[in-house]
Amino acid sequence: NNPLWNPYQAQVTFSGEADGPLTLNYRAVDRATNVEDFHGVQLTLDATAPVTTLSPGQPLHTDAGGSTYVTAATVFTLTADDALSGVEATEYKLDGAAWSPAAQFSISAEGAHTILYRSRDNLGNQEGDKALNPVVDNTAPVTVITAGEPKYIAPDGKLFVAGQTIFTLAAAD
């Protein structure tokens, strides 16, 4: 069972091949048709970039529209996986700052932010930038209660109500 031999005419690449183990066999044949015993090299093809995940801790709220709300106490963690050559580097940047090596971090400033993150494997396959746009909310809501009728406010400020008095709450955040 002889493998199909291709003449060497240019550099050999494995573009289009599936990631995973490969064997590259090679040999030489001289003009007198003397054939060298073939040699083999075991290779692992890795053309796939790593996959990075950014996980916000608690407190965390994601609303129905997909917006992410956190506080200054929320810790963000980056993890990356590359099944073949392994992860060389994982990095992130916050609000357009310079890229920083992966580490747990939090965001103290209130408001909307943009976190970009990515990883690169040991062969230089780099993942495209991913983004998360959390909103930091460190301010507690303010609730106001209103008593309906019947009610009586005494001169000392004490509130008197009846059993049928309705109370209304209004919260603002």
Side-chain angles (χ1 to χ4, degrees), residues 8-26:
Y8 175 74
Q9 297 172 339
Q11 295 177 340
V12 176
T13 65
F14 294 102
S15 61
E17 295 288 328
D19 282 1
L22 295 170
T23 301
L24 174 62
N25 294 317
Y26 60 95

Side-chain angles (χ1 to χ4, degrees), residues 68-173:
T68 301
Y69 295 89
V70 298
T71 72
T74 305
V75 175
F76 292 85
T77 303
L78 287 157
T79 56
D81 183 52
D82 186 86
L84 295 169
S85 67
V87 176
E88 177 191 15
T90 299
E91 55 191 1
Y92 75 97
K93 68 178 177 175
L94 178 62
D95 297 331
W99 288 100
S100 298
Q104 289 187 331
F105 64 95
S106 59
I107 307 169
S108 59
E110 286 232 1
H113 297 275
T114 298
I115 304 168
L116 297 179
Y117 57 100
R118 65 187 182 193
S119 292
R120 180 179 57 255
D121 72 13
N122 286 301
L123 286 173
N125 296 314
Q126 183 153 312
E127 176 181 31
D129 295 356
K130 293 180 174 179
L132 179 68
N133 297 299
V135 176
V136 176
D137 181 359
N138 295 321
T139 305
V142 175
T143 306
V144 176
I145 189 167
T146 305
E149 296 297 331
K151 69 180 174 190
Y152 168 70
I153 301 174
D156 65 358
K158 190 172 183 180
L159 175 64
F160 294 87
V161 296
Q164 67 271 26
T165 303
I166 296 175
F167 289 87
T168 305
L169 296 174
D173 188 25

